[in-house]
Amino acid sequence: MDFTTERRLEDGVLEREFTLGEIPGTLWTPESAAPVPLILMAHNNGLPKAEPRLVARARLSAAAGYAVACIDAAGCGDRPRAAAVDQARADLRRAMRAGEPVDDILESLVGPLVEQAVPDWRTALDALLNLPGITGPVGYSGWTALGIRLAVLEPRIAVAAFFAGDTSRTPSARRPARSPSRCCSCSSGTTRATRAGGP
Protein backbone atom coordinates (compact mmCIF):
# COMPACT_ATOMS: atom_id res chain seq x y z
CA MET A 1 0.00 0.00 0.00
CA ASP A 2 1.47 3.32 -1.10
CA PHE A 3 0.07 6.57 0.31
CA THR A 4 0.05 9.25 -2.38
CA THR A 5 -1.47 12.23 -0.52
CA GLU A 6 -2.13 13.13 3.09
CA ARG A 7 -4.04 16.01 4.66
CA ARG A 8 -5.41 16.83 8.09
CA LEU A 9 -9.01 18.06 7.84
CA GLU A 10 -10.58 20.73 10.03
CA ASP A 11 -12.39 18.10 12.13
CA GLY A 12 -9.03 16.48 13.00
CA VAL A 13 -9.55 13.55 10.64
CA LEU A 14 -6.51 12.47 8.62
CA GLU A 15 -7.42 11.78 4.97
CA ARG A 16 -4.93 9.75 2.93
CA GLU A 17 -5.21 8.65 -0.68
CA PHE A 18 -3.52 5.36 -1.47
CA THR A 19 -2.87 2.88 -4.22
CA LEU A 20 -2.66 -0.85 -3.76
CA GLY A 21 -1.47 -2.22 -7.08
CA GLU A 22 -4.19 -1.04 -9.49
CA ILE A 23 -6.65 -0.31 -6.68
CA PRO A 24 -7.04 3.38 -5.71
CA GLY A 25 -8.48 4.17 -2.31
CA THR A 26 -8.94 6.68 0.48
CA LEU A 27 -8.38 6.10 4.19
CA TRP A 28 -9.80 8.40 6.86
CA THR A 29 -8.52 8.00 10.43
CA PRO A 30 -9.33 9.82 13.67
CA GLU A 31 -6.92 11.63 15.96
CA SER A 32 -6.25 8.71 18.29
CA ALA A 33 -3.21 7.11 19.88
CA ALA A 34 -5.16 3.90 20.51
CA PRO A 35 -5.86 1.32 17.79
CA VAL A 36 -9.24 1.91 16.16
CA PRO A 37 -11.75 -0.42 14.48
CA LEU A 38 -12.12 -0.38 10.69
CA ILE A 39 -15.14 0.30 8.50
CA LEU A 40 -15.05 -0.67 4.83
CA MET A 41 -17.33 1.83 3.12
CA ALA A 42 -18.43 0.87 -0.38
CA HIS A 43 -20.32 2.92 -2.94
CA ASN A 44 -22.91 1.68 -5.37
CA ASN A 45 -21.64 0.17 -8.58
CA GLY A 46 -19.90 2.58 -10.91
CA LEU A 47 -19.72 5.59 -8.58
CA PRO A 48 -16.33 7.01 -7.58
CA LYS A 49 -14.86 6.71 -4.09
CA ALA A 50 -15.02 10.52 -3.95
CA GLU A 51 -18.86 10.50 -4.11
CA PRO A 52 -19.79 13.40 -1.75
CA ARG A 53 -22.35 11.44 0.31
CA LEU A 54 -19.84 8.65 0.86
CA VAL A 55 -17.07 11.07 1.83
CA ALA A 56 -19.39 12.81 4.30
CA ARG A 57 -20.31 9.48 5.96
CA ALA A 58 -16.67 8.43 6.04
CA ARG A 59 -15.53 11.68 7.66
CA LEU A 60 -18.33 11.56 10.23
CA SER A 61 -17.43 7.96 11.13
CA ALA A 62 -13.71 8.79 11.36
CA ALA A 63 -14.45 11.77 13.62
CA ALA A 64 -16.40 9.34 15.84
CA GLY A 65 -13.30 7.16 16.29
CA TYR A 66 -13.20 4.70 13.38
CA ALA A 67 -10.76 4.15 10.55
CA VAL A 68 -12.77 4.22 7.32
CA ALA A 69 -11.60 3.01 3.92
CA CYS A 70 -13.14 3.25 0.48
CA ILE A 71 -11.74 1.93 -2.79
CA ASP A 72 -12.63 2.15 -6.42
CA ALA A 73 -13.06 -1.55 -7.17
CA ALA A 74 -12.84 -2.91 -10.71
CA GLY A 75 -15.27 -1.08 -13.02
CA CYS A 76 -15.86 1.79 -10.57
CA GLY A 77 -14.73 5.40 -10.52
CA ASP A 78 -11.98 6.02 -13.05
CA ARG A 79 -11.06 2.35 -13.43
CA PRO A 80 -11.72 0.74 -16.82
CA ARG A 81 -15.24 -0.55 -17.42
CA ALA A 82 -16.24 -3.58 -19.43
CA ALA A 83 -18.38 -2.99 -22.52
CA ALA A 84 -20.88 -5.60 -21.26
CA VAL A 85 -21.36 -3.64 -18.02
CA ASP A 86 -21.95 -0.38 -19.89
CA GLN A 87 -24.47 -2.17 -22.14
CA ALA A 88 -26.27 -3.63 -19.09
CA ARG A 89 -26.49 -0.13 -17.57
CA ALA A 90 -28.01 1.21 -20.80
CA ASP A 91 -30.44 -1.71 -20.96
CA LEU A 92 -31.42 -1.12 -17.33
CA ARG A 93 -32.16 2.58 -17.91
CA ARG A 94 -34.22 1.73 -21.00
CA ALA A 95 -36.22 -0.98 -19.21
CA MET A 96 -36.90 1.21 -16.19
CA ARG A 97 -38.15 4.06 -18.40
CA ALA A 98 -40.42 1.59 -20.20
CA GLY A 99 -41.68 0.04 -16.95
CA GLU A 100 -40.38 -3.39 -17.96
CA PRO A 101 -39.07 -6.07 -15.54
CA VAL A 102 -35.42 -5.49 -14.64
CA ASP A 103 -34.35 -8.47 -12.49
CA ASP A 104 -32.50 -10.27 -15.32
CA ILE A 105 -30.81 -7.05 -16.40
CA LEU A 106 -29.77 -6.30 -12.82
CA GLU A 107 -28.24 -9.77 -12.55
CA SER A 108 -26.23 -9.19 -15.74
CA LEU A 109 -24.99 -5.87 -14.33
CA VAL A 110 -24.58 -6.47 -10.60
CA GLY A 111 -23.30 -10.05 -10.65
CA PRO A 112 -20.12 -9.36 -12.62
CA LEU A 113 -19.42 -6.13 -10.71
CA VAL A 114 -19.68 -7.93 -7.37
CA GLU A 115 -17.50 -10.82 -8.56
CA GLN A 116 -14.83 -8.34 -9.68
CA ALA A 117 -15.06 -6.16 -6.57
CA VAL A 118 -14.80 -8.84 -3.87
CA PRO A 119 -11.12 -9.71 -4.52
CA ASP A 120 -10.22 -6.00 -4.56
CA TRP A 121 -11.94 -5.43 -1.21
CA ARG A 122 -10.31 -8.50 0.35
CA THR A 123 -6.88 -7.33 -0.87
CA ALA A 124 -7.54 -3.89 0.60
CA LEU A 125 -8.70 -5.42 3.90
CA ASP A 126 -5.47 -7.43 4.19
CA ALA A 127 -3.36 -4.30 3.66
CA LEU A 128 -5.47 -2.06 5.93
CA LEU A 129 -5.34 -4.46 8.87
CA ASN A 130 -1.54 -4.50 8.57
CA LEU A 131 -1.33 -0.73 9.13
CA PRO A 132 -0.35 0.48 12.60
CA GLY A 133 -3.28 1.88 14.58
CA ILE A 134 -5.99 -0.09 12.75
CA THR A 135 -7.46 -3.21 14.27
CA GLY A 136 -10.68 -5.16 14.41
CA PRO A 137 -13.49 -5.48 14.64
CA VAL A 138 -14.16 -4.77 10.97
CA GLY A 139 -17.47 -3.39 9.78
CA TYR A 140 -18.92 -2.93 6.32
CA SER A 141 -21.21 -0.12 5.23
CA GLY A 142 -22.60 0.41 1.77
CA TRP A 143 -23.70 -1.29 -1.41
CA THR A 144 -26.03 -4.17 -0.55
CA ALA A 145 -25.07 -6.65 -3.27
CA LEU A 146 -21.35 -6.35 -2.54
CA GLY A 147 -21.84 -6.28 1.22
CA ILE A 148 -23.85 -9.50 1.28
CA ARG A 149 -21.16 -11.29 -0.72
CA LEU A 150 -18.30 -9.89 1.39
CA ALA A 151 -20.05 -10.65 4.68
CA VAL A 152 -20.55 -14.26 3.60
CA LEU A 153 -16.99 -14.78 2.34
CA GLU A 154 -14.97 -12.67 4.77
CA PRO A 155 -14.91 -13.90 8.40
CA ARG A 156 -13.13 -10.72 9.58
CA ILE A 157 -16.28 -8.66 8.93
CA ALA A 158 -18.13 -8.61 12.25
CA VAL A 159 -21.07 -6.40 11.28
CA ALA A 160 -22.51 -5.03 8.05
CA ALA A 161 -25.01 -2.29 7.28
CA PHE A 162 -26.45 -2.41 3.79
CA PHE A 163 -28.00 0.54 2.02
CA ALA A 164 -30.35 0.20 -0.91
CA GLY A 165 -32.87 2.86 -1.75
CA ASP A 166 -35.25 0.27 -3.14
CA THR A 167 -34.59 -3.26 -1.90
CA SER A 168 -37.02 -4.64 -4.49
CA ARG A 169 -34.29 -3.85 -7.04
CA THR A 170 -31.71 -6.04 -5.28
CA PRO A 171 -31.31 -9.05 -7.57
CA SER A 172 -32.82 -12.18 -6.03
CA ALA A 173 -29.53 -14.10 -6.22
CA ARG A 174 -27.89 -11.43 -4.02
CA ARG A 175 -30.56 -11.25 -1.30
CA PRO A 176 -29.48 -12.59 2.09
CA ALA A 177 -30.42 -16.14 2.99
CA ARG A 178 -30.91 -17.09 6.60
CA SER A 179 -28.43 -19.52 8.04
CA PRO A 180 -27.64 -20.77 11.56
CA SER A 181 -24.61 -18.44 11.75
CA ARG A 182 -26.34 -15.27 10.50
CA CYS A 183 -29.10 -13.00 11.58
CA CYS A 184 -30.52 -10.58 9.02
CA SER A 185 -33.23 -8.02 9.49
CA CYS A 186 -34.63 -5.50 7.05
CA SER A 187 -36.37 -2.21 7.66
CA SER A 188 -36.84 0.94 5.58
CA GLY A 189 -34.33 -0.01 2.90
CA THR A 190 -31.55 -1.01 5.31
CA THR A 191 -30.38 -4.53 6.12
CA ARG A 192 -28.15 -5.39 9.06
CA ALA A 193 -26.40 -8.75 9.25
CA THR A 194 -24.32 -9.99 12.15
CA ARG A 195 -22.50 -13.14 13.01
CA ALA A 196 -23.98 -15.25 15.78
CA GLY A 197 -22.86 -13.77 19.07
CA GLY A 198 -22.00 -10.45 17.39
CA PRO A 199 -23.50 -7.01 18.03
Side-chain angles (χ1 to χ4, degrees):
M1 178 176 282
D2 296 313
F3 288 101
T4 56
T5 66
E6 179 177 311
R7 67 183 181 132
R8 181 71 62 184
L9 306 174
E10 64 274 0
D11 54 7
V13 169
L14 180 62
E15 179 183 82
R16 294 180 280 177
E17 299 289 326
F18 65 84
T19 57
L20 185 58
E22 296 180 8
I23 306 167
T26 306
L27 175 64
W28 296 268
T29 52
E31 289 185 295
S32 174
V36 295
L38 174 64
I39 298 172
L40 304 176
M41 194 166 287
H43 47 75
N44 284 351
N45 64 79
L47 295 176
K49 62 183 174 55
E51 168 67 28
R53 290 175 298 171
L54 180 115
V55 171
R57 283 196 309 264
R59 287 181 60 180
L60 183 66
S61 298
Y66 297 90
V68 182
C70 182
I71 65 168
D72 277 340
C76 295
D78 292 330
R79 291 188 65 189
R81 295 183 187 210
V85 170
D86 285 341
Q87 182 60 52
R89 282 191 177 106
D91 292 345
L92 178 62
R93 285 190 294 272
R94 182 201 48 75
M96 290 178 74
R97 279 193 303 269
E100 298 170 355
V102 297
D103 209 43
D104 289 342
I105 299 170
L106 277 171
E107 279 297 328
S108 70
L109 172 62
V110 174
L113 285 174
V114 168
E115 294 307 316
Q116 293 171 2
V118 166
D120 286 355
W121 275 102
R122 292 183 89 180
T123 297
L125 180 56
D126 290 341
L128 291 160
L129 287 177
N130 281 319
L131 293 174
I134 297 178
T135 186
V138 176
Y140 172 89
S141 174
W143 184 24
T144 301
L146 173 62
I148 290 169
R149 182 62 151 203
L150 268 176
V152 167
L153 295 176
E154 185 50 68
R156 296 173 290 183
I157 295 177
V159 65
F162 306 132
F163 299 97
D166 180 355
T167 55
S168 69
R169 300 225 185 272
T170 302
S172 57
R174 303 284 177 234
R175 292 184 189 132
R178 292 201 178 268
S179 73
S181 63
R182 297 278 179 174
C183 172
C184 296
S185 62
C186 300
S187 64
S188 66
T190 304
T191 302
R192 182 169 181 257
T194 60
R195 297 194 190 292

